[in-house]
Amino acid sequence: SWCRHLEGNYAISDRDWEGAEALYREALELNPDDIGAYPWLSAALDRQGRLDEAIEAGEVALEAFPTSYPTLKTMAGLARKTGDLEKAIEYTARAMQVPGDRSTMATRYVSLLVEAKRYSAADAFLEKYPKLRKHPRVKNAITTLEQNRE
């Protein structure tokens, strides 16, 4: 099982999404408790455009490991792709709570809040973390915020 999981990781690094999916599924067949395979299975399915299946795999992973940063990041992206901005915001907020440098997720959080037209929440977040205002990825969100203040 673990060998298949590792081979799946290699397939992911080679951008062989279908091969990765097959290997993670095989790993899970051999060991259904291999929770670590689910986030990567989710990512491989996402890359193939199979969003519903990717969400299912991600939900299994989060049920067992609710603070899995890679899974939360993937699930936020999936929620955005399916048009569920509120769910994307929720997953992004949860991902920011995982220890480590989460500045990338913080910039995504601001952008998602603005995209969802939650301008006061975005303003409040930027007030709390003013250094984010200088981040290049936040500049478009700030422009939109300023336009909506007028």
Side-chain angles (χ1 to χ4, degrees), residues 35-104:
I35 297 302
Y38 283 101
W40 303 112
L41 174 61
S42 177
L45 291 164
D46 175 17
R47 294 299 186 129
Q48 293 177 69
R50 293 165 50 201
L51 305 184
D52 290 340
E53 290 175 81
I55 289 168
E56 285 178 30
E59 286 172 347
V60 171
L62 288 178
E63 189 173 304
F65 186 21
T67 59
S68 167
Y69 179 77
T71 309
L72 290 165
K73 183 178 173 185
T74 298
M75 293 296 280
L78 287 165
R80 186 173 183 276
K81 286 178 186 178
T82 60
D84 191 343
L85 290 178
E86 291 306 315
K87 200 71 156 161
I89 290 166
E90 175 193 326
Y91 284 127
T92 304
R94 286 175 57 190
M96 288 188 307
Q97 300 304 309
V98 177
D101 178 13
R102 300 296 175 228
S103 56
T104 299

Side-chain angles (χ1 to χ4, degrees), residues 127-144:
E127 284 297 316
K128 189 173 179 182
Y129 301 100
K131 288 183 181 180
L132 282 177
R133 290 184 181 279
K134 296 179 183 176
H135 197 288
R137 290 186 179 161
V138 177
K139 290 198 186 282
N140 287 339
I142 289 172
T143 301
T144 302

